[in-house]
Coordinates of all heavy atoms in Angstrom, one line a residue:
M1 N -5.4 -15.1 2.7 CA -5.7 -13.8 3.3 C -6.6 -13.1 2.4 O -6.3 -12.8 1.3 CB -4.4 -13.1 3.7 CG -4.6 -11.7 4.2 SD -5.0 -11.8 5.9 CE -5.5 -10.1 6.2
L2 N -7.8 -12.7 2.9 CA -8.8 -12.0 2.1 C -9.1 -10.7 2.9 O -9.5 -10.7 4.0 CB -10.0 -12.8 1.9 CG -11.2 -12.1 1.2 CD1 -10.9 -12.0 -0.3 CD2 -12.5 -12.9 1.4
Y3 N -8.9 -9.5 2.2 CA -9.1 -8.2 2.8 C -10.0 -7.4 1.9 O -9.6 -7.1 0.8 CB -7.8 -7.5 3.2 CG -7.9 -6.2 3.8 CD1 -8.6 -6.0 5.0 CD2 -7.4 -5.1 3.2 CE1 -8.7 -4.8 5.6 CE2 -7.5 -3.8 3.8 CZ -8.2 -3.7 5.0 OH -8.3 -2.5 5.6
T4 N -11.1 -7.0 2.4 CA -12.0 -6.1 1.7 C -12.2 -4.8 2.4 O -12.4 -4.8 3.6 CB -13.4 -6.8 1.5 OG1 -13.2 -8.1 0.9 CG2 -14.4 -6.0 0.7
Y5 N -12.1 -3.7 1.7 CA -12.3 -2.4 2.3 C -13.0 -1.5 1.4 O -13.1 -1.7 0.2 CB -11.0 -1.8 2.8 CG -10.0 -1.6 1.7 CD1 -9.9 -0.3 1.1 CD2 -9.2 -2.5 1.2 CE1 -9.0 0.0 0.1 CE2 -8.3 -2.3 0.2 CZ -8.2 -1.0 -0.4 OH -7.3 -0.8 -1.4
G6 N -13.6 -0.4 2.0 CA -14.3 0.6 1.2 C -15.7 0.6 1.5 O -16.3 -0.4 1.9
I7 N -16.4 1.8 1.4 CA -17.8 1.9 1.7 C -18.6 2.0 0.4 O -19.5 1.2 0.1 CB -18.1 3.1 2.6 CG1 -17.4 2.9 3.9 CG2 -19.6 3.3 2.8 CD1 -17.5 4.1 4.9
I8 N -18.3 3.0 -0.4 CA -19.0 3.2 -1.7 C -18.4 2.3 -2.8 O -19.1 1.6 -3.4 CB -18.9 4.7 -2.1 CG1 -19.6 5.6 -1.1 CG2 -19.5 4.9 -3.5 CD1 -19.5 7.0 -1.3
A9 N -17.1 2.4 -3.0 CA -16.4 1.5 -3.9 C -15.6 0.6 -3.1 O -14.6 1.0 -2.4 CB -15.5 2.3 -4.8
T10 N -15.9 -0.7 -3.1 CA -15.1 -1.7 -2.3 C -14.0 -2.3 -3.2 O -14.1 -2.4 -4.4 CB -16.1 -2.8 -1.8 OG1 -16.6 -3.5 -2.9 CG2 -17.1 -2.3 -0.9
K11 N -13.0 -2.7 -2.5 CA -11.8 -3.3 -3.1 C -11.4 -4.5 -2.3 O -11.5 -4.5 -1.1 CB -10.7 -2.3 -3.2 CG -9.5 -2.8 -4.0 CD -8.5 -1.6 -4.1 CE -7.3 -2.1 -5.0 NZ -6.4 -1.0 -5.3
T12 N -11.1 -5.6 -3.0 CA -10.7 -6.8 -2.3 C -9.3 -7.2 -2.7 O -9.0 -7.2 -3.9 CB -11.7 -8.0 -2.7 OG1 -13.0 -7.6 -2.3 CG2 -11.4 -9.2 -2.0
I13 N -8.5 -7.6 -1.7 CA -7.1 -8.1 -2.0 C -7.1 -9.5 -1.4 O -7.5 -9.7 -0.3 CB -6.1 -7.2 -1.2 CG1 -6.2 -5.7 -1.8 CG2 -4.7 -7.7 -1.4 CD1 -5.3 -4.8 -1.0
I14 N -6.6 -10.4 -2.2 CA -6.4 -11.8 -1.9 C -4.9 -12.1 -1.9 O -4.3 -11.9 -3.0 CB -7.2 -12.7 -2.8 CG1 -8.7 -12.3 -2.7 CG2 -7.0 -14.2 -2.4 CD1 -9.5 -13.0 -3.8
I15 N -4.4 -12.6 -0.8 CA -3.0 -13.1 -0.8 C -2.9 -14.5 -0.2 O -3.4 -14.7 0.9 CB -2.1 -12.1 0.1 CG1 -2.1 -10.7 -0.5 CG2 -0.7 -12.6 0.2 CD1 -1.4 -9.7 0.3
P16 N -2.4 -15.4 -1.0 CA -2.3 -16.8 -0.4 C -1.3 -16.8 0.8 O -0.3 -16.0 0.8 CB -1.7 -17.6 -1.6 CG -1.9 -16.8 -2.8 CD -2.0 -15.4 -2.3
Y17 N -1.6 -17.7 1.7 CA -0.7 -17.8 2.9 C 0.8 -18.1 2.6 O 1.7 -17.6 3.2 CB -1.2 -18.8 3.9 CG -2.5 -18.4 4.6 CD1 -3.6 -19.3 4.5 CD2 -2.6 -17.3 5.3 CE1 -4.8 -18.9 5.1 CE2 -3.8 -16.9 5.9 CZ -4.9 -17.8 5.8 OH -6.0 -17.4 6.5
N18 N 1.0 -18.8 1.5 CA 2.4 -19.2 1.2 C 3.1 -18.0 0.6 O 4.3 -18.1 0.4 CB 2.4 -20.4 0.2 CG 1.7 -20.2 -1.1 OD1 1.1 -19.1 -1.3 ND2 1.8 -21.1 -2.0
R19 N 2.5 -16.9 0.2 CA 3.2 -15.7 -0.3 C 3.5 -14.7 0.8 O 4.3 -13.8 0.6 CB 2.4 -15.0 -1.4 CG 2.2 -15.9 -2.6 CD 2.2 -15.2 -3.9 NE 3.0 -14.1 -4.0 CZ 2.5 -12.9 -4.4 NH1 1.2 -12.7 -4.7 NH2 3.3 -11.8 -4.6
I20 N 2.9 -14.9 2.0 CA 3.1 -13.9 3.1 C 4.5 -14.2 3.7 O 4.9 -15.3 4.0 CB 2.1 -14.0 4.2 CG1 0.7 -13.7 3.6 CG2 2.4 -13.1 5.4 CD1 -0.5 -13.9 4.6
Q21 N 5.3 -13.1 3.8 CA 6.7 -13.3 4.3 C 6.8 -12.8 5.7 O 7.5 -13.3 6.5 CB 7.7 -12.5 3.4 CG 7.8 -13.0 2.0 CD 8.6 -14.3 2.0 OE1 9.6 -14.4 2.7 NE2 8.1 -15.2 1.2
H22 N 6.1 -11.7 6.0 CA 6.3 -11.0 7.3 C 5.0 -10.3 7.7 O 4.3 -9.8 6.8 CB 7.4 -10.0 7.2 CG 7.7 -9.3 8.4 ND1 8.2 -9.8 9.6 CD2 7.6 -7.9 8.7 CE1 8.3 -8.9 10.5 NE2 8.0 -7.7 10.0
V23 N 4.7 -10.3 9.0 CA 3.5 -9.5 9.5 C 4.1 -8.6 10.6 O 4.8 -9.1 11.5 CB 2.5 -10.5 10.1 CG1 1.3 -9.7 10.6 CG2 2.0 -11.5 9.0
S24 N 3.8 -7.4 10.6 CA 4.2 -6.5 11.6 C 3.1 -5.7 12.2 O 2.0 -5.5 11.6 CB 5.3 -5.5 11.1 OG 4.7 -4.6 10.1
L25 N 3.3 -5.2 13.4 CA 2.3 -4.5 14.2 C 2.9 -3.2 14.6 O 4.0 -3.1 15.1 CB 1.9 -5.3 15.5 CG 0.8 -4.8 16.3 CD1 -0.5 -5.5 15.8 CD2 1.0 -5.1 17.7
H26 N 2.2 -2.1 14.3 CA 2.7 -0.7 14.6 C 1.7 0.0 15.5 O 0.5 -0.1 15.3 CB 3.0 0.1 13.3 CG 4.1 -0.5 12.5 ND1 5.4 -0.2 12.8 CD2 4.1 -1.2 11.4 CE1 6.1 -0.8 11.9 NE2 5.3 -1.5 11.0
E27 N 2.3 0.8 16.4 CA 1.5 1.7 17.3 C 2.2 3.1 17.2 O 3.3 3.2 17.6 CB 1.5 1.2 18.7 CG 0.8 -0.1 18.9 CD 0.9 -0.4 20.4 OE1 0.1 0.0 21.2 OE2 1.9 -1.2 20.8
G28 N 1.4 4.1 16.9 CA 1.9 5.4 17.0 C 1.6 6.0 18.4 O 0.9 5.3 19.2
L29 N 2.0 7.2 18.6 CA 1.8 7.8 19.9 C 0.3 8.0 20.2 O -0.2 7.6 21.2 CB 2.5 9.1 20.0 CG 2.4 9.9 21.4 CD1 3.0 9.1 22.5 CD2 3.0 11.2 21.3
L30 N -0.4 8.5 19.2 CA -1.8 8.8 19.4 C -2.6 7.5 19.4 O -3.5 7.3 20.2 CB -2.3 9.7 18.2 CG -3.7 10.3 18.4 CD1 -3.8 11.1 19.6 CD2 -4.1 11.1 17.2
S31 N -2.3 6.5 18.5 CA -3.0 5.3 18.5 C -2.7 4.5 19.8 O -3.6 3.8 20.2 CB -2.6 4.4 17.3 OG -1.3 4.1 17.3
R32 N -1.6 4.6 20.3 CA -1.3 3.9 21.6 C -2.1 4.5 22.7 O -2.6 3.7 23.6 CB 0.2 4.1 22.0 CG 0.6 3.2 23.2 CD 2.1 3.3 23.5 NE 2.9 3.0 22.3 CZ 4.0 3.6 22.0 NH1 4.4 4.6 22.7 NH2 4.7 3.2 21.0
Y33 N -2.4 5.8 22.7 CA -3.2 6.4 23.7 C -4.7 5.8 23.7 O -5.3 5.6 24.7 CB -3.3 7.9 23.5 CG -4.2 8.7 24.4 CD1 -3.8 8.9 25.8 CD2 -5.4 9.1 24.0 CE1 -4.6 9.6 26.6 CE2 -6.2 9.8 24.9 CZ -5.9 10.0 26.2 OH -6.7 10.7 27.0
F34 N -5.2 5.6 22.4 CA -6.5 5.1 22.3 C -6.6 3.5 22.2 O -7.6 3.0 22.1 CB -7.1 5.6 21.0 CG -7.5 7.1 21.1 CD1 -6.7 8.0 20.4 CD2 -8.5 7.5 21.9 CE1 -7.0 9.4 20.5 CE2 -8.8 8.9 22.0 CZ -8.1 9.8 21.3
G35 N -5.4 2.9 22.4 CA -5.4 1.4 22.4 C -5.6 0.8 21.0 O -6.1 -0.3 20.9
L36 N -5.1 1.5 20.0 CA -5.2 1.0 18.6 C -3.9 0.6 18.0 O -2.9 1.0 18.5 CB -5.9 2.0 17.7 CG -7.3 2.5 18.2 CD1 -7.7 3.7 17.3 CD2 -8.3 1.4 18.1
A37 N -3.9 -0.2 17.0 CA -2.7 -0.6 16.3 C -3.0 -0.7 14.8 O -4.1 -0.7 14.3 CB -2.2 -1.9 16.9
K38 N -1.9 -0.9 14.0 CA -2.0 -1.1 12.6 C -1.2 -2.4 12.3 O -0.1 -2.5 12.7 CB -1.4 0.1 11.8 CG -1.3 -0.1 10.3 CD -0.8 1.1 9.6 CE 0.6 1.4 9.9 NZ 1.2 2.5 9.0
I39 N -1.8 -3.2 11.5 CA -1.1 -4.5 11.0 C -0.7 -4.2 9.6 O -1.4 -3.7 8.7 CB -2.1 -5.7 11.0 CG1 -2.5 -6.0 12.5 CG2 -1.4 -6.9 10.4 CD1 -3.5 -7.1 12.6
E40 N 0.6 -4.6 9.3 CA 1.1 -4.6 7.9 C 1.5 -6.0 7.5 O 2.2 -6.7 8.3 CB 2.3 -3.6 7.8 CG 2.0 -2.2 8.0 CD 3.2 -1.3 7.9 OE1 4.3 -1.7 8.2 OE2 2.9 -0.1 7.4
I41 N 1.1 -6.4 6.3 CA 1.4 -7.7 5.8 C 2.3 -7.5 4.6 O 1.9 -6.8 3.6 CB 0.1 -8.5 5.5 CG1 -0.8 -8.6 6.7 CG2 0.4 -9.8 4.9 CD1 -2.2 -9.1 6.5
F42 N 3.4 -8.2 4.6 CA 4.4 -8.1 3.5 C 4.5 -9.4 2.7 O 4.4 -10.5 3.3 CB 5.8 -7.8 4.1 CG 5.9 -6.5 4.8 CD1 5.5 -6.4 6.1 CD2 6.3 -5.4 4.1 CE1 5.6 -5.2 6.8 CE2 6.4 -4.1 4.8 CZ 6.1 -4.1 6.1
T43 N 4.6 -9.3 1.4 CA 4.9 -10.5 0.6 C 6.2 -10.4 0.0 O 6.9 -9.3 0.1 CB 3.8 -10.6 -0.5 OG1 3.9 -9.5 -1.4 CG2 2.4 -10.8 0.0
A44 N 6.7 -11.4 -0.7 CA 8.0 -11.5 -1.3 C 8.0 -10.5 -2.5 O 7.0 -10.3 -3.2 CB 8.3 -12.9 -1.8
G45 N 9.2 -9.9 -2.7 CA 9.4 -9.0 -3.8 C 9.0 -7.6 -3.7 O 9.0 -6.8 -4.7
G46 N 8.7 -7.1 -2.5 CA 8.3 -5.7 -2.3 C 8.9 -5.1 -1.1 O 9.1 -5.8 -0.1
S47 N 9.2 -3.9 -1.1 CA 9.8 -3.2 0.0 C 8.7 -2.6 0.9 O 9.0 -2.3 2.1 CB 10.8 -2.1 -0.4 OG 10.1 -1.2 -1.2
S48 N 7.5 -2.3 0.4 CA 6.5 -1.8 1.2 C 5.4 -2.9 1.5 O 5.4 -3.9 0.8 CB 5.8 -0.6 0.4 OG 5.2 -1.1 -0.7
S49 N 4.5 -2.6 2.4 CA 3.6 -3.6 2.8 C 2.5 -3.7 1.7 O 2.2 -2.8 1.0 CB 2.9 -3.2 4.1 OG 2.2 -2.0 4.0
D50 N 2.0 -4.9 1.5 CA 0.9 -5.2 0.5 C -0.4 -4.9 1.1 O -1.3 -4.4 0.4 CB 1.0 -6.6 0.0 CG 2.3 -6.8 -0.8 OD1 2.4 -6.2 -1.8 OD2 3.1 -7.7 -0.4
I51 N -0.6 -5.1 2.4 CA -1.9 -4.8 3.0 C -1.6 -4.0 4.3 O -0.7 -4.5 5.1 CB -2.7 -6.1 3.4 CG1 -3.1 -6.8 2.1 CG2 -3.9 -5.7 4.2 CD1 -3.8 -8.1 2.4
E52 N -2.3 -2.9 4.6 CA -2.2 -2.2 5.8 C -3.7 -2.1 6.4 O -4.6 -1.7 5.7 CB -1.7 -0.8 5.6 CG -0.3 -0.7 5.3 CD 0.2 0.8 5.2 OE1 -0.6 1.7 5.5 OE2 1.3 1.0 4.9
I53 N -3.8 -2.6 7.6 CA -5.1 -2.6 8.3 C -5.0 -1.7 9.5 O -4.5 -2.1 10.6 CB -5.6 -4.0 8.7 CG1 -5.5 -4.9 7.5 CG2 -7.0 -3.9 9.2 CD1 -5.8 -6.3 7.8
P54 N -5.4 -0.4 9.4 CA -5.2 0.5 10.5 C -6.4 0.5 11.4 O -7.5 0.1 11.1 CB -5.1 1.9 9.8 CG -5.9 1.7 8.6 CD -5.8 0.3 8.2
G55 N -6.3 1.1 12.6 CA -7.4 1.3 13.6 C -8.0 0.1 14.2 O -9.2 0.1 14.5
I56 N -7.2 -0.9 14.4 CA -7.7 -2.2 15.1 C -7.3 -2.1 16.6 O -6.2 -1.6 16.9 CB -7.1 -3.4 14.5 CG1 -7.4 -3.5 13.0 CG2 -7.5 -4.7 15.1 CD1 -6.7 -4.6 12.3
L57 N -8.2 -2.6 17.4 CA -7.9 -2.6 18.8 C -6.6 -3.5 19.0 O -6.4 -4.5 18.3 CB -9.0 -3.3 19.6 CG -10.3 -2.4 19.8 CD1 -11.4 -3.2 20.5 CD2 -10.0 -1.1 20.5
K58 N -5.7 -3.1 19.9 CA -4.4 -3.7 20.0 C -4.5 -5.2 20.3 O -3.8 -5.9 19.7 CB -3.6 -3.0 21.1 CG -2.2 -3.5 21.2 CD -1.4 -2.8 22.3 CE 0.0 -3.5 22.3 NZ 0.8 -3.1 23.4
N59 N -5.3 -5.6 21.2 CA -5.4 -7.0 21.5 C -5.9 -7.8 20.3 O -5.5 -8.9 20.1 CB -6.2 -7.3 22.8 CG -7.6 -6.8 22.7 OD1 -8.0 -6.1 21.7 ND2 -8.4 -7.1 23.7
E60 N -6.9 -7.3 19.6 CA -7.3 -7.9 18.4 C -6.2 -8.0 17.3 O -6.1 -9.0 16.6 CB -8.6 -7.2 17.8 CG -9.8 -7.4 18.6 CD -11.0 -6.7 18.0 OE1 -11.0 -6.4 16.8 OE2 -12.0 -6.5 18.8
A61 N -5.5 -6.9 17.2 CA -4.4 -6.9 16.2 C -3.3 -7.9 16.5 O -2.8 -8.6 15.7 CB -3.8 -5.5 16.2
E62 N -3.0 -8.1 17.8 CA -2.0 -9.1 18.2 C -2.5 -10.5 18.0 O -1.8 -11.3 17.5 CB -1.7 -8.9 19.7 CG -0.9 -7.7 20.0 CD -0.6 -7.4 21.5 OE1 -1.3 -8.1 22.3 OE2 0.2 -6.6 21.8
S63 N -3.8 -10.7 18.2 CA -4.4 -12.1 17.9 C -4.4 -12.4 16.4 O -4.1 -13.5 16.0 CB -5.7 -12.2 18.5 OG -6.7 -11.4 17.9
I64 N -4.7 -11.3 15.6 CA -4.6 -11.5 14.1 C -3.2 -11.8 13.7 O -3.0 -12.7 12.8 CB -5.2 -10.3 13.4 CG1 -6.7 -10.2 13.6 CG2 -4.9 -10.4 11.9 CD1 -7.3 -8.9 13.2
K65 N -2.3 -11.1 14.2 CA -0.9 -11.3 13.9 C -0.4 -12.8 14.2 O 0.2 -13.4 13.4 CB 0.0 -10.3 14.6 CG 1.5 -10.5 14.3 CD 2.4 -9.6 15.0 CE 3.8 -9.9 14.8 NZ 4.7 -9.0 15.5
Q66 N -0.8 -13.2 15.4 CA -0.4 -14.6 15.9 C -1.1 -15.6 15.0 O -0.5 -16.6 14.6 CB -0.8 -14.8 17.3 CG 0.0 -14.0 18.3 CD 1.5 -14.3 18.2 OE1 1.9 -15.4 18.0 NE2 2.3 -13.2 18.2
L67 N -2.4 -15.4 14.6 CA -3.1 -16.3 13.7 C -2.4 -16.4 12.3 O -2.1 -17.5 11.8 CB -4.5 -15.8 13.5 CG -5.3 -16.6 12.5 CD1 -5.7 -18.0 13.1 CD2 -6.6 -15.8 12.1
L68 N -2.0 -15.2 11.8 CA -1.3 -15.2 10.5 C 0.1 -15.9 10.6 O 0.5 -16.7 9.7 CB -1.2 -13.8 9.9 CG -2.5 -13.2 9.4 CD1 -2.2 -11.7 9.0 CD2 -3.0 -14.0 8.3
M69 N 0.8 -15.6 11.6 CA 2.1 -16.2 11.8 C 2.0 -17.7 12.0 O 2.8 -18.5 11.5 CB 2.8 -15.6 13.0 CG 3.2 -14.1 12.9 SD 4.2 -13.8 11.5 CE 5.7 -14.5 12.0
G70 N 0.9 -18.2 12.6 CA 0.7 -19.6 12.8 C 0.4 -20.3 11.4 O 0.9 -21.4 11.1
K71 N -0.4 -19.6 10.6 CA -0.7 -20.1 9.2 C 0.6 -20.1 8.4 O 0.7 -21.1 7.6 CB -1.8 -19.2 8.6 CG -3.1 -19.2 9.2 CD -3.9 -20.3 8.8 CE -5.3 -20.2 9.4 NZ -6.2 -21.3 9.1
I72 N 1.4 -19.1 8.5 CA 2.7 -19.1 7.7 C 3.5 -20.3 8.1 O 4.1 -20.9 7.3 CB 3.4 -17.7 8.0 CG1 2.6 -16.6 7.4 CG2 4.8 -17.8 7.3 CD1 3.2 -15.2 7.8
Q73 N 3.7 -20.5 9.4 CA 4.5 -21.6 9.9 C 4.0 -23.0 9.4 O 4.8 -23.9 9.1 CB 4.6 -21.6 11.4 CG 5.3 -20.4 12.0 CD 6.7 -20.2 11.5 OE1 7.4 -21.2 11.3 NE2 7.1 -19.0 11.3
K74 N 2.7 -23.1 9.3 CA 2.1 -24.4 8.8 C 2.4 -24.6 7.3 O 2.6 -25.7 6.9 CB 0.6 -24.5 9.1 CG 0.2 -24.6 10.5 CD -1.3 -24.7 10.7 CE -1.6 -24.8 12.2 NZ -3.0 -24.8 12.4
V75 N 2.4 -23.5 6.6 CA 2.6 -23.6 5.1 C 4.1 -24.0 4.9 O 4.4 -24.7 4.0 CB 2.2 -22.3 4.4 CG1 2.7 -22.3 3.0 CG2 0.7 -22.1 4.5
L76 N 5.0 -23.4 5.7 CA 6.4 -23.6 5.5 C 6.7 -25.0 5.9 O 7.5 -25.8 5.4 CB 7.3 -22.6 6.2 CG 7.1 -21.2 5.8 CD1 8.0 -20.3 6.7 CD2 7.6 -21.0 4.4

């Protein structure tokens, strides 16, 4: 998993698929109204998410979650 964010100063996070433990999808009240969601990716050894990707269209977020879950199942 490769995630790059930022406009002026960019930051890149790389997490191998075999370290991903859980992927969750969250919708708040306001984001649900606009059809948006947030994906959180968790790795072993932490109580908080390692990557948060906010403001994604809900159907795209669900497809990303399914893609990651499929990759996790293949690694296991």
Side-chain angles (χ1 to χ4, degrees):
M1 171 83 193
L2 175 71
Y3 179 58
T4 302
Y5 62 97
I7 296 173
I8 296 173
T10 59
K11 188 172 185 178
T12 302
I13 299 173
I14 302 170
I15 299 176
Y17 290 124
N18 62 353
R19 294 213 36 233
I20 297 175
Q21 295 288 317
H22 179 67
V23 180
S24 65
L25 189 95
H26 292 281
E27 295 179 84
L29 182 63
L30 191 59
S31 62
R32 188 177 305 142
Y33 177 77
F34 289 108
L36 302 174
K38 173 175 70 171
I39 295 177
E40 292 183 329
I41 301 169
F42 298 86
T43 60
S47 60
S48 64
S49 61
D50 291 300
I51 296 178
E52 288 185 6
I53 308 172
I56 301 175
L57 292 174
K58 184 180 177 188
N59 58 354
E60 289 180 18
E62 289 174 349
S63 65
I64 291 170
K65 179 182 176 184
Q66 292 301 319
L67 175 74
L68 289 174
M69 294 302 290
K71 296 278 188 182
I72 293 169
Q73 296 300 324
K74 287 181 183 177
V75 169
L76 296 177

